[in-house]
Amino acid sequence: MITAINCNGERLGAELAHLATITEATPPAVTRVVFSDADLRARNYFKDLCRKAGLSIREDGIGNIFARWQGSDPESAAIGTGSHTDAIPNAGLYDGVVGVLGGLEAIRILQEKGFKPRRSIELLMFATEEPTRFGVGCLGSRALAGTYNEEKILSLRDEEGNGARDCAKRIGLSGEFNALMLPENYYGAFVELHIEQGPLLEKVGLPIGIVTAIAAPASLRVTFEGEGGHAGTVLMPDRKDALLAGAELALAVDEISRATGSADTVGTTGMLQVFPGAINSIPSRCTLGIDIRDTQLETRDLAVAGVKLTAQEIAARRNLPITIETINSDLPATCDARIIAAAERACETLKLKPLKMVSRAYHDSLFMARLFPTCMIFIPSRGGVSHRPDEYSSPEQIARSVEVLALTLAQLAE
Ligand code: GLV
Ligand code: MN
Ligand code: MN
């Protein structure tokens, strides 16, 4: 086992800063929606860096990029690491990106140390972890895990009605979705480095998190159909205002999520679309995007069932047609004990005290865990802030986490 390794963080810091300039928003805000020009430029930048590190590159039909450091035993299952570079509107520069460029840095410091992996180490940049464009998160990793097949991916549309195949082709990908799933023995282990996106590490004053489980996300799209009309001329008894049904449901999502008996249940109505959206027009349609999660499947599903039932009750009471669509309803993931132990040994070597913790955010690892032993390493997030331009982890925190990742990968690949 390697007993010392050093990441000075300068090279990685410069690369993180450069990637942050590839954005559709005004810096420092980062917006990088999948299959956009910014996404294409970020991909090209990442592939260039991987080529410079001597990695061989493969890109699949939906845009997952695999950059491989060939081991001496190419017959054995590889060790995977990586994350995503797509970013929600008005995001910061660390979410996902630290696991991609930090994964590359971990490989480079192992190379510079003269480490020769027996198993290949493969760095993955997942296509579209964020749900921004097609409404569902982790599209690339869902496809790799076989959770979404070709038919399901082809059924998705963005707001303009474009399908993923046309969008993928537009940035030079094949758009072939029929053979994306990885074989079950493809990775012997998968480790994702990511910022915590929550306040816990900072609160307890520890520099590293080792993730033991990933909470189970679910999301619903609920549409109430009302009757539009003139805001001045339709009297109150004659109205069928779709927004009022939506408002009732948004309050119910909050109430139901607080009442499952599990402190881990969280429910959010993050989208509320009102049609036609004019101040002098009664809303004729209201669509809600609802996100519900828990570490326990039972209480998560209890909340989801409660929200669906309440939505039906509101629709019936207000006499409005309703459609309820389950966008996703995923299982939680348990991290692999052997990888957790390897990460703990890496921390011990580096004299860092880790916190074992649950990931309440979802990640591509949720889907990698369907097929492969999986674990995540977390970096503290200042103020627990994420999905905002002021998201921040210090260069030192990032450098230490890259060292932990490098020593973890080295043990797994030995
Ligand atoms: C990932 O971005 C999440 O919403 O957890
Ligand atoms: Mn995110
Ligand atoms: Mn992320």
Side-chain angles (χ1 to χ4, degrees):
M1 180 172 161
I2 303 179
T3 53
I5 197 146
N6 181 42
C7 169
N8 82 16
E10 243 170 62
R11 170 172 57 190
L12 174 57
E15 289 166 357
L16 286 168
H18 181 79
L19 195 52
T21 66
I22 304 178
T23 170
E24 296 145 45
T26 307
V30 179
T31 299
R32 229 172 3 242
V33 177
V34 70
F35 306 140
S36 63
D37 291 338
D39 181 35
L40 177 60
R41 285 169 56 215
R43 289 164 179 281
N44 288 339
Y45 178 61
F46 171 64
K47 287 190 281 187
D48 272 352
L49 294 178
C50 290
R51 276 189 212 102
K52 282 185 191 133
L55 309 183
S56 53
I57 294 166
R58 168 170 83 84
E59 200 164 7
D60 71 13
I62 199 165
N64 292 306
I65 300 173
F66 305 77
R68 184 170 279 235
W69 181 16
Q70 190 74 51
S72 60
D73 177 10
E75 300 305 312
S76 284
I79 304 304
T81 188
S83 194
H84 62 100
T85 60
D86 67 319
I88 64 160
N90 206 42
L93 67 107
Y94 301 94
D95 175 7
V97 175
V98 165
V100 176
L101 295 181
L104 176 61
E105 183 62 13
I107 288 175
R108 287 184 304 213
I109 60 177
L110 286 170
Q111 289 174 335
E112 286 159 8
K113 186 90 188 157
F115 179 73
K116 299 269 180 273
R118 181 177 71 77
R119 293 174 184 270
S120 299
I121 296 181
E122 189 165 83
L123 175 61
L124 238 169
M125 193 202 99
F126 292 99
T128 188
E129 189 265 358
E130 301 291 7
T132 311
R133 184 153 200 168
F134 295 105
V136 66
C138 301
L139 197 50
S141 49
R142 279 177 200 274
L144 295 180
T147 307
Y148 269 27
N149 60 16
E150 179 178 26
E151 191 189 347
K152 182 76 189 171
I153 300 168
L154 289 176
S155 73
L156 301 172
R157 288 282 173 276
D158 70 9
E159 258 184 23
E160 275 90 53
N162 304 301
R165 174 165 289 160
D166 287 343
C167 295
K169 284 186 169 172
R170 204 188 66 79
I171 63 158
L173 297 165
S174 76
E176 291 303 327
F177 302 150
N178 58 352
L180 297 174
M181 189 180 169
L182 295 173
E184 252 172 57
N185 57 356
Y186 188 84
Y187 290 127
F190 187 86
V191 196
E192 179 173 0
L193 176 66
H194 205 283
I195 54 166
E196 181 197 345
Q197 307 184 279
L200 211 56
L201 285 170
E202 198 177 68
K203 212 177 263 177
V204 298
L206 291 177
I208 287 285
I210 299 177
V211 174
T212 53
I214 306 173
S219 59
L220 305 174
R221 191 180 293 123
V222 178
T223 299
F224 293 102
E225 301 286 349
E227 253 171 44
H230 196 289
T233 61
V234 182
L235 292 176
M236 300 314 276
D238 303 327
R239 294 191 178 203
K240 283 190 172 180
D241 184 326
L243 171 60
L244 297 181
E248 264 197 66
L249 184 58
L251 290 172
V253 167
D254 188 80
E255 264 167 44
I256 290 166
S257 305
R258 288 170 195 272
T260 60
S262 158
D264 289 333
T265 313
V266 284
T268 309
T269 302
M271 293 172 84
L272 190 72
Q273 288 164 339
V274 179
F275 185 83
I279 195 167
N280 54 354
S281 179
I282 299 163
S284 62
R285 188 170 65 237
C286 179
T287 300
L288 298 88
I290 300 167
D291 177 306
I292 300 173
R293 314 181 190 202
D294 199 323
T295 50
Q296 307 299 319
L297 199 55
E298 296 71 27
T299 35
R300 197 279 311 270
D301 286 345
L302 188 71
V304 170
V307 168
K308 285 181 174 173
L309 191 68
T310 305
Q312 300 281 10
E313 280 168 7
I314 295 167
R317 178 164 34 79
R318 290 181 171 270
N319 195 18
L320 306 179
I322 182 176
T323 50
I324 302 178
E325 188 192 340
T326 302
I327 300 171
N328 65 298
S329 177
D330 300 303
L331 299 171
T334 305
C335 293
D336 179 70
R338 194 175 60 95
I339 310 178
I340 292 174
E344 284 180 304
R345 275 193 299 275
C347 290
E348 210 175 297
T349 302
L350 296 162
K351 302 194 171 30
L352 299 170
K353 188 163 183 267
L355 178 73
K356 285 203 205 165
M357 62 190 296
V358 164
S359 171
R360 294 176 191 281
Y362 61 69
H363 300 284
D364 293 302
S365 285
L366 186 66
F367 295 94
M368 289 295 95
R370 299 278 171 88
L371 296 187
F372 314 115
T374 294
C375 183
M376 295 187 73
I377 296 168
F378 272 0
I379 308 167
S381 294
R382 184 178 66 191
V385 165
S386 184
H387 281 181
R388 279 176 27 185
D390 54 343
E391 178 179 88
Y392 181 77
S393 302
S394 74
E396 296 71 32
Q397 288 169 324
I398 294 171
R400 295 295 82 73
S401 73
V402 166
E403 292 166 2
V404 173
L405 177 65
L407 292 192
T408 306
L409 292 174
Q411 291 173 69
L412 297 168
E414 237 158 21

